[in-house]
Amino acid sequence: MKIAILPGDGIGTEIVAQALRVLEVLDLRFETETALVGGAAYEAHGHPLPEGTLKLAQAADAILFGAVGDWKYDKLERALRPEQAILGLRKQLGLFANLRPALCYPQLTHASSLKPELVAGLDLLIIRELTGDIYFGQPRGRRTAVDGHFPGAEEAFDTMRYSRPEIERIAHVAFQAARRRHRKVTSVDKANVLETFQFWKDVVTEVHAQYPDVELQHMYVDNAAMQLVKAPKAFDVVVTGNMFGDILSDEAAMLTGSIGMLPSASLDRQNKGLYEPSHGSAPDIAGKDLANPLATILSLAMMLRYSLDQAAAADRIEAAVQAVLAAGLRTADIWSEGTTRIGTRAMGDAVVAALTGKAMTPS
Ligand code: IPM
Ligand code: MG
């Protein structure tokens, strides 16, 4: 079994390094191979997703991905920007199912921007469709308007679209996930305005007929954004399209105290997956030993569980993270009065120590 390691840009290299230390100490004997991606790949090879990196990702059994992006690439033509690397990997590898759990650890309820009682015990799973919608719909571009409010003016446009099979397969993922949880799915749409999402709602409703044991609720995306901050614990599984999922998953992440805690999995039909923290490359804190490596370490746990058939090892990592939090160790993003602030590397040390049964003292 081979794991492709794609650290990327910004804090990506620091956080992935800590996850690799965790993998090493588990002694599972997976082969790993590292490649450049994003801005780092652009600098070295002139492209954010070089052929060699794509081939490695295709050949591997699973991919551990850090983060890509830096403001300094904002002026590049779109095809060469770092974000194209992750979008390209999702598309080329058919990683259509993005699982973004938002779990509020009991030790971190005070790090949330919401009142502790609203988030204590929060455990929801956002399932975001990842290879369709307005992210990938064609045509898109710039042109001269022929109609609208300003005929003759320069305009830009994108295409929102979903096909029946794309909606069906993500709906199945959601209903099946709900069966392993609290049997409730909230499908988020904008059926009151958009044709694409009326179709989404219709198809999800049809697929639901095969899951009579799971409760299905439909919710407009604006209301979902509101309910997420009003009563987040009312959700179990949330399934939605690519763009709404992008937005709602950041919102859900913040409920838990820090986006620095949240892992994600992007799976294809065979459960081969790319695993990455839900957060971005945070160039402002890169190289300063400030980033929280826990989302990446927890992404490694998800990889072991979903793609590499190592559930016991995944449990061990998750327990180690809990132990580290219980010991009061915190990176800056989750620090609060009365806890010990440590850096990226020391957080890696602490998880490794918890896994190997050594005492946990910040280094
Ligand atoms: C995410 C990110 C990406 C997205 C960007 C980096 C292209 O925000 O994974 O949520 O929009 O999907
Ligand atoms: Mg996003």
Side-chain angles (χ1 to χ4, degrees), residues 118-288:
L118 283 180
V119 292
L122 176 74
D123 176 7
L124 67 86
L125 175 63
I126 296 195
I127 298 188
R128 167 187 176 194
E129 199 291 328
L130 206 55
T131 52
D133 202 356
I134 198 164
Y135 266 57
F136 293 98
Q138 293 290 344
R140 55 186 281 163
R142 294 194 185 196
R143 64 186 171 196
T144 302
V146 292
D147 49 18
H149 294 294
F150 294 97
E154 187 186 6
E155 71 173 8
F157 65 104
D158 297 275
T159 302
M160 178 177 272
R161 58 169 292 280
Y162 265 121
S163 63
R164 173 177 285 276
E166 286 176 290
I167 304 169
E168 284 174 350
R169 66 183 181 177
I170 197 73
H172 282 292
V173 172
F175 289 122
Q176 280 161 24
R179 279 189 170 158
R180 295 187 296 270
R181 297 172 48 96
H182 301 289
R183 294 178 187 266
K184 181 174 172 189
V185 171
T186 304
S187 171
V188 172
D189 63 57
K190 190 69 188 174
N192 50 345
V193 177
L194 301 171
E195 214 50 60
T196 310
F197 276 91
Q198 179 63 57
F199 186 51
W200 171 283
K201 184 174 181 177
D202 295 346
V203 174
V204 171
T205 303
E206 281 174 42
V207 173
H208 179 232
Q210 297 172 45
Y211 300 87
D213 54 317
V214 177
E215 183 193 337
L216 171 65
Q217 171 190 41
H218 300 281
M219 198 179 278
Y220 296 143
V221 62
D222 48 351
N223 186 26
M226 189 167 73
Q227 296 305 323
L228 270 174
V229 288
K230 188 176 171 217
K233 284 192 266 185
F235 293 100
D236 178 22
V237 173
V238 174
V239 65
T240 190
N242 205 346
M243 184 160 71
F244 298 157
D246 177 45
I247 299 165
L248 294 181
S249 62
D250 268 25
E251 189 188 5
M254 213 49 228
L255 301 176
T256 69
S258 170
I259 196 166
M261 291 299 299
L262 297 184
S264 82
S266 304
L267 305 175
D268 74 1
R269 274 196 195 79
Q270 281 83 43
N271 280 347
K272 169 173 165 173
L274 179 150
Y275 297 81
E276 57 173 327
S278 285
H279 59 71
S281 54
D284 51 327
I285 60 163
K288 297 184 179 158

